[in-house]
Amino acid sequence: DAGVTQSPTHLIKTRGQHVTLRCSPISGHKSVSWYQQVLGQGPQFIFQYYEKEERGRGNFPDRFSARQFPNYSSELNVNALLLGDSALYLCASSPIQGFYGYTFGSGTRLTVV
Amino acid sequence: QQQVKQSPQSLIVQKGGISIINCAYENTAFDYFPWYQQFPGKGPALLIAIRPDVSEKKEGRFTISFNKSAKQFSLHIMDSQPGDSATYFCAASLQGYYGQNFVFGPGTRLSVLP
């Protein structure tokens, strides 16, 4: 079975631009979450989606948005990029119930210049 | 109250030695405590996890010790190997209806010397 796949793997954007990151969960996983990992820090929760609806949101500005599609894949959008948005953006999928933990993708490395 | 503290920030251990990483939390509602291992350029991978009704869990060379009253938990890596060199994150979560959302510690960079 394929794991969580994310695209692109690397991305360089200019301040003020918009970016879209994509994620495909493990087959059968219906919940997708997004995390931001700044270099040298632990991942920080951004969003959780299930059945195309936002089910959880972390402490991030409204420039960050996401959506989930009927096939459970997801997009993370960031508007008006700032230098501080440079980070590894991780997507994780999980079954809904039970203590199974997440399976993370390898992430998208976003650099804002 | 949502913070998870982790120490040490970095750790150097000789091959065959024991690596110990400690974490502490404040929110007593947390009900799941996983440890993740992350190699450079990769996403975190679930290593081992424990629920607060258990004081210890062992899987191979990896053991979690959990102290509910002290709100602390730790990861022990026995017989540490150079291949264990990675960054380790503890985390804590609440089991909601739609799944879990994790609060991660800041990470410990482990280097195992050959």
Side-chain angles (χ1 to χ4, degrees), chain A residues 39 44 47 64 70 73 96 111-112:
Chain A
L39 195 63
Q44 275 199 293
F47 287 112
F64 289 77
S73 67
I96 292 302
T111 302
V112 182

Side-chain angles (χ1 to χ4, degrees), chain A residues 31 33 35 37 40-45 47-48 50 55-57 88 90 94-107 109, chain B residues 9 31-32 34 36 38 41-46 49 51-52 87 89 93-107 109:
Chain A
S31 176
S33 294
Y35 284 77
Q37 187 177 21
Q41 297 181 19
Q44 275 199 293
F45 171 66
F47 287 112
Q48 182 189 34
Y50 173 67
R55 303 295 185 177
R57 171 186 280 258
L88 180 67
L90 296 163
S94 69
I96 292 302
Q97 297 296 332
F99 294 89
Y100 300 112
Y102 282 162
T103 300
F104 283 88
S106 292
R109 172 69 65 187
Chain B
Q9 187 175 6
D31 57 7
Y32 181 70
Y36 280 85
Q38 187 176 29
K42 299 292 185 183
L46 179 64
R51 293 174 59 175
T87 300
F89 295 97
S93 74
L94 298 171
Q95 175 60 33
Y97 180 80
Y98 299 105
Q100 300 150 300
N101 294 314
F102 291 107
V103 178
F104 283 86
R109 179 172 290 185

Side-chain angles (χ1 to χ4, degrees), chain A residues 8 14 29 32 34 38 41 47 50 54 62 66 85 104 110:
Chain A
T14 304
H29 285 191
V32 170
W34 288 94
V38 172
Q41 297 181 19
F47 287 112
Y50 173 67
E54 181 184 305
D62 291 343
D85 295 331
F104 283 88
L110 171 65

